Amino acid sequence: MGQKNKSGLTATNNESDREIIDRTLYFIAQRGWKESEGDFLTALCLYLTSTLNVRYALIGRAIGSPPTDVETIALVRGNDVLPPITYSLAGTPCESVSNQNICCYPTNIQEHFPNDRMLVDMGADSYIGVPLWDSQGEILGLISLINSEPLGNTTLLNTVLQIVAVRAAAELEHRLAEKQLTEQQQQIQATFDNAGVGIAYIETNGDLKLANQKLCDMLEYSTGDLQAMSVRDITFPADWDKSREAMERALSSPPGLHSYALEKRYVAASNRIIWCLVTVTLVRDSHGNPDYFVTVAEDITRRKSYQEQLRQARDEAERANRAKSTFLANMSHELRTPLNAILGFAEMMDEEIHGKIPEKYRDYASHIRKSGQHLLHLINEVLDLSRIETGKLELDISDCNLPAVAHEVLEELAIKAQIESVTLKLQINPQDFPIVQLDHLRIRQTLTNLVHNAIKFSPGGTVTIQLEATNSALKISVTDTGIGMSKEDIAVALSLFGQVESDYLSKKSEGTGLGLPLAKQFVELQGGKLTVDSKQGEGTTITAYFPNAVGGQ
């Protein structure tokens, strides 16, 4: 039956045992430290097999929490160093060691662990092992001796293992910490090298100390050439001041991680200009003193090019729009002069100012007059549109008797409403309606356009003007019981020259498509908002809301 020894260092009176212990202490104190320049743990295992005359010695790292496997850091058979292996702890004597016990089986080890193939392959007959602890008191691994013959002086073996275990544990912990640090450094380096943006470490004087491959590729320099340059060397001259100011702001900031972003231009080796979005971060040392800058540069040249193209296209469109508006204004003026003469002569003929004319010619004159008035209305709308677009439409905001304006509009359109069998109504709330601050001409034009459209598309129905004043707000609504519009149709109707298509409209004279858009523009120019609420087959309500039109002077 195997014996588990959990004791600490054990004293011995045997002189040869004392010599072995002294030699082990000397190895740890002198040779061990020298051996650490190479592989100390392997040297330790070689020392143990030769000094203690055992077949195998191994030092392993515990894997898992709690441990489930062991990875050998050093594995020696006699004087031969074996490659590392990883094995499961389950069903092995090392499992007891990983459970924080000193474990010793002087003989017949395979009888106790019949499923441990490694013991069979080693031809093992005996085993002794002790756990290795890290500086925090956690299980780190184990060190064990395996022999093909029974173990003799287990007390000596236990004492030696416990002497070397402290040094082995310190070395293993140090090695694992170095490995972890190396892996972290490799991860950081891989991130640095493979980043999709340019990254550079820059001295506080502006010299580049390190640059990743992305930045080198971006600026068309080799790593060595780029790292021999300064920030100023690669910065577009006109952008150097703002680059320098960003670094100076970071240097003058209180301790802490401070970053500043700016858009700047770099000059590549081929003199190609590269726009970048650059983030400058100051890194301080452990004493809080400025150490170096980390800059991250994202190439935005293509984005800048798109923005410039859009700006040019917008400027060109605005120039074309201004030219169109100027042309419309000039043409409208040029058309109105001869048209007014035509209307004047047609009116004289229609009213027979200079004597009787044949009835047939009088009908012709009447048609000329009506067509001319329609054309004049169209020209006036186009002229208003061009004035709005060029910012030349002047408003005369003053006292306005809105109910009187509404009556004028209804009287003007009464004949048209009668022809279309439309009933016109006016609702005023309150009856003693206050004087409001609006442009008399433009609000009359707005009402005329809205009521005219409502009559045209509500044959046999009703059109109602509602005027409502509350505190400082004014609401003007024109409601009809006509054909109505869908949401898509409303968007079309509000667009310049927009024509809503329907079976009914195809039979009518739709006009220019400017009435509703101009009404909206007139309302908004006077500080109001125009909304359209409509449903097909049920009618339309158009509301002009002015939040501050009542009570002003």
Side-chain angles (χ1 to χ4, degrees):
M1 185 71 179
Q3 175 187 4
K4 293 185 179 180
N5 189 334
K6 299 182 182 179
S7 63
L9 288 172
T10 305
T12 175
N13 294 319
N14 189 308
E15 188 60 30
S16 61
D17 289 358
R18 173 64 66 183
E19 290 176 356
I20 291 175
I21 292 173
D22 289 344
R23 186 144 45 101
T24 300
L25 290 172
Y26 179 80
F27 176 87
I28 295 298
Q30 300 296 326
R31 290 182 57 209
W33 293 108
K34 294 180 181 179
E35 293 289 351
S36 65
E37 297 175 0
D39 186 349
F40 168 74
L41 296 180
T42 298
L44 177 59
C45 286
L46 288 170
Y47 169 81
L48 293 174
T49 57
S50 62
T51 301
L52 301 179
N53 194 28
V54 294
R55 183 67 170 163
Y56 291 91
L58 72 84
I59 298 173
R61 174 179 72 92
I63 301 174
S65 182
T68 57
D69 299 278
V70 167
E71 175 192 15
T72 61
I73 304 300
L75 177 59
V76 169
R77 179 181 60 204
N79 293 323
D80 298 327
V81 178
L82 303 180
I85 61 173
T86 300
Y87 61 91
S88 173
L89 285 170
T92 71
C94 294
E95 185 176 18
S96 297
V97 180
S98 69
N99 289 329
Q100 308 175 12
N101 296 311
I102 299 172
C103 181
C104 181
Y105 290 88
T107 188
N108 299 325
I109 182 67
Q110 294 187 36
E111 293 181 5
H112 299 285
F113 301 95
N115 297 321
D116 189 341
R117 288 300 307 170
M118 190 168 70
L119 293 178
V120 175
D121 295 340
M122 288 179 170
D125 181 67
S126 54
Y127 174 98
I128 185 171
V130 299
L132 301 179
W133 309 89
D134 66 16
S135 57
Q136 304 300 316
E138 300 293 332
I139 187 71
L140 183 64
L142 56 87
I143 180 169
S144 62
L145 305 176
I146 302 170
N147 203 17
S148 55
E149 298 178 357
L151 293 177
N153 191 344
T154 57
T155 300
L156 173 64
L157 297 176
N158 177 42
T159 300
V160 171
L161 285 182
Q162 293 198 65
I163 290 173
V164 301
V166 175
R167 176 69 176 89
E171 178 67 20
L172 180 57
E173 184 174 16
H174 176 71
R175 182 177 297 188
L176 294 177
E178 279 190 336
K179 180 181 178 183
Q180 183 179 16
L181 179 60
T182 300
E183 289 175 350
Q184 291 176 345
Q185 290 174 337
Q186 290 173 344
Q187 291 173 354
I188 294 172
Q189 187 66 41
T191 302
F192 182 79
D193 291 337
N194 300 306
V197 293
I199 304 175
Y201 293 173
I202 300 172
E203 303 283 5
T204 54
N205 65 358
D207 292 339
L208 276 79
K209 60 184 293 187
L210 186 64
N212 72 343
Q213 191 60 46
K214 179 67 176 181
L215 187 62
C216 294
D217 293 343
M218 188 188 305
L219 298 180
E220 304 169 4
Y221 285 103
S222 67
T223 302
D225 288 343
L226 186 59
Q227 290 177 176
M229 303 174 78
S230 69
V231 176
R232 187 165 191 170
D233 294 333
I234 57 176
T235 297
F236 188 72
D239 292 347
W240 166 241
D241 285 343
K242 62 181 178 182
S243 297
R244 176 177 50 78
E245 289 169 2
M247 292 190 291
E248 289 177 351
R249 284 201 306 272
L251 287 170
S252 62
S253 299
L257 199 61
H258 294 281
S259 297
Y260 297 92
L262 69 153
E263 290 185 356
K264 61 174 286 187
R265 287 164 289 183
Y266 287 110
V267 181
S270 63
N271 288 325
R272 184 169 62 93
I273 304 300
I274 302 168
W275 271 102
C276 285
L277 175 61
V278 180
T279 302
V280 180
T281 303
L282 176 64
V283 179
R284 297 178 181 270
D285 61 21
S286 58
H287 301 291
N289 298 317
D291 195 359
Y292 60 91
F293 296 104
V294 176
T295 63
V296 178
E298 179 187 358
D299 188 344
I300 59 171
T301 305
R302 183 174 297 180
R303 185 195 312 169
K304 280 289 186 179
S305 176
Y306 289 157
Q307 290 175 348
E308 178 62 19
Q309 292 174 21
L310 288 173
R311 185 192 66 77
Q312 292 178 359
R314 184 181 65 248
D315 291 347
E316 184 61 31
E318 290 176 352
R319 282 194 295 270
N321 192 52
R322 287 194 296 269
K324 177 208 69 178
S325 298
T326 301
F327 171 77
L328 289 175
N330 292 337
M331 286 301 297
S332 297
H333 176 74
E334 295 298 325
L335 288 171
R336 288 176 68 184
T337 301
L339 184 58
N340 283 328
I342 293 171
L343 286 173
F345 286 119
E347 184 177 351
M348 291 171 62
M349 293 172 64
D350 188 26
E351 296 181 2
E352 299 178 319
I353 299 294
H354 295 292
K356 291 283 186 180
I357 63 174
E359 188 66 27
K360 182 178 181 179
Y361 292 110
R362 186 180 177 189
D363 289 340
Y364 292 159
S366 179
H367 286 306
I368 293 172
R369 183 180 181 184
K370 290 179 181 178
S371 297
Q373 288 173 339
H374 177 73
L375 182 57
L376 182 60
H377 176 72
L378 171 59
I379 291 173
N380 286 334
E381 286 189 334
V382 171
L383 183 58
D384 285 338
L385 174 62
S386 65
R387 286 172 175 169
I388 291 172
E389 290 183 340
T390 56
K392 295 180 179 180
L393 183 70
E394 296 181 359
L395 296 177
D396 180 18
I397 304 297
S398 58
D399 290 350
C400 177
N401 186 338
L402 192 56
V405 173
H407 280 294
E408 291 173 5
V409 171
L410 292 180
E411 289 176 2
E412 179 183 337
L413 298 173
I415 296 177
K416 179 174 179 59
Q418 185 177 3
I419 294 173
E420 298 288 347
S421 301
V422 172
T423 302
L424 299 180
K425 295 182 179 180
L426 175 61
Q427 297 177 356
I428 301 175
N429 182 30
Q431 288 300 315
D432 53 339
F433 205 82
I435 296 297
V436 296
Q437 298 297 305
L438 292 173
D439 184 304
H440 182 279
L441 175 62
R442 300 309 173 185
I443 200 63
R444 188 180 192 281
Q445 190 174 348
T446 298
L447 270 176
T448 300
N449 286 348
L450 297 181
V451 175
H452 183 275
N453 283 346
I455 293 172
K456 185 165 59 174
F457 302 125
S458 304
T462 301
V463 174
T464 304
I465 298 178
Q466 294 178 296
L467 307 179
E468 183 177 353
T470 56
N471 298 325
S472 63
L474 168 66
K475 185 168 72 173
I476 305 171
S477 299
V478 176
T479 301
D480 66 58
T481 58
I483 61 174
M485 295 181 287
S486 66
K487 290 183 178 179
E488 293 76 12
D489 290 340
I490 292 174
V492 173
L494 286 170
S495 64
L496 291 174
F497 305 102
Q499 299 286 340
V500 177
E501 297 181 1
S502 74
D503 293 340
Y504 176 73
L505 288 176
S506 65
K507 302 173 186 177
K508 295 288 183 176
S509 174
E510 289 93 347
T512 62
L514 287 175
L516 186 56
L518 277 176
K520 183 174 182 294
Q521 294 269 28
F522 290 147
V523 169
E524 291 175 352
L525 286 171
Q526 297 178 80
K529 180 179 180 182
L530 186 139
T531 58
V532 180
D533 182 19
S534 185
K535 190 172 182 181
Q536 285 183 318
E538 296 184 10
T540 301
T541 296
I542 300 178
T543 302
Y545 178 76
F546 301 90
N548 300 301
V550 179
Q553 295 294 328

